[in-house]
């Protein structure tokens, strides 16, 4: 598919959450890749947060962003695997009004070329809540690259056809970075 050339670009306000028990902002290459990709595309980073893998802290942060009239998209990296501490899907799923069933399926499909059958261990998911798109991806930098380049770059571009998520998002003023 391609973009419709005569459609003016609509920048979105995006919040980035890294879920990790070990990373800091200095070594968080996955969260930084989201920031680099979204700003290069012309979107605004409204806030960036790094949290330990704690179901209730993740849920509270995502719920805060969903309730914020200025946050249109939440991108989460980390906590989607099967270890005892991985709780991002459980933290987020109950907040969603509608799940985007095809997101995880497509992510796993395009990941096969890079990681083979290990892709079945990804619990990537996405959904809409209060006019906010929430996307959860694995914590590796390669997973963020795959998710952004293979799905999100197009779906967060209002000129991408035949459809994209922009019409489903709440309206907001262009952002100023908060964190």
């Amino acid at each position: 598919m391609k973009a419709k050339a005569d459609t003016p670009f609509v920048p979105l306000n995006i919040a980035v959450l890294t879920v990790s028990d070990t990373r800091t902002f200095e070594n968080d290459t996955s969260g930084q890749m989201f920031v680099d990709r979204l700003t290069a595309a012309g979107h605004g980073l409204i806030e960036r947060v790094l949290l330990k893998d704690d179901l209730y802290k993740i849920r509270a942060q995502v719920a805060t962003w969903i309730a914020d009239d200025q946050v249109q998209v939440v991108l989460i990296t980390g906590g989607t695997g099967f270890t005892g501490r991985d709780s991002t899907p459980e933290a987020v799923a109950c907040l969603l009004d509608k799940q985007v069933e095809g997101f995880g399926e497509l992510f796993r499909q395009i990941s096969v070329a890079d990681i083979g059958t290990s892709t079945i261990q990804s619990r990537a998911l996405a959904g809409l809540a209060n006019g906010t798109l929430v996307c959860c991806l694995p914590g590796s930098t390669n997973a963020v690259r795959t998710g952004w380049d293979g799905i999100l770059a197009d779906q967060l571009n209002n000129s991408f056809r035949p459809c994209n998520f922009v019409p489903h998002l709440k309206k907001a003023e262009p952002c100023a970075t908060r964190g």
Side-chain angles (χ1 to χ4, degrees):
M1 296 292 118
K2 60 182 179 177
K4 187 174 176 185
D6 62 341
T7 304
F9 178 74
V10 174
L12 300 173
N13 296 337
I14 302 177
V16 173
L17 173 61
T18 298
V19 175
S20 175
D21 289 339
T22 59
R23 293 190 186 161
T24 65
F25 283 113
E26 292 74 34
N27 65 13
D28 176 23
T29 56
S30 300
Q32 189 59 50
M33 178 164 285
F34 263 148
V35 171
D36 294 345
R37 290 287 210 265
L38 73 91
T39 55
H43 300 296
L45 174 66
I46 198 159
E47 191 169 19
R48 181 177 175 192
V49 172
L50 195 147
L51 291 175
K52 299 262 185 232
D53 202 331
D54 178 290
L55 184 141
Y56 297 102
K57 289 180 182 177
I58 297 165
R59 186 175 292 159
Q61 181 61 65
V62 175
T64 297
W65 282 333
I66 289 168
D68 187 327
D69 291 337
Q70 293 304 307
V71 178
Q72 297 169 290
V73 179
V74 174
L75 301 178
I76 304 169
T77 176
T80 63
F82 284 96
T83 71
R85 299 272 303 151
D86 289 328
S87 60
T88 299
E90 291 78 13
V92 172
C94 66
L95 299 173
L96 303 176
D97 300 327
K98 293 183 180 184
Q99 284 203 21
V100 180
E101 302 297 340
F103 182 85
E105 295 167 5
L106 181 57
F107 176 79
R108 286 181 287 277
Q109 178 186 4
I110 61 179
S111 296
V112 167
D114 290 331
I115 62 171
T117 60
S118 294
T119 193
I120 65 169
Q121 292 194 33
S122 165
R123 297 188 302 143
L125 77 128
L128 291 162
N130 190 36
T132 304
L133 178 65
V134 180
C135 301
C136 306
L137 289 169
S140 77
T141 305
N142 192 48
V144 170
R145 181 182 303 108
T146 298
W148 182 271
D149 295 351
I151 304 171
L152 295 170
D154 288 337
Q155 287 300 302
L156 300 180
N157 179 347
N158 65 297
S159 66
F160 183 77
R161 297 294 182 253
C163 60
N164 60 77
F165 278 104
V166 178
H168 306 291
L169 304 178
K170 59 186 144 191
K171 305 298 179 217
E173 295 299 314
C175 78
T177 299
R178 290 189 236 167

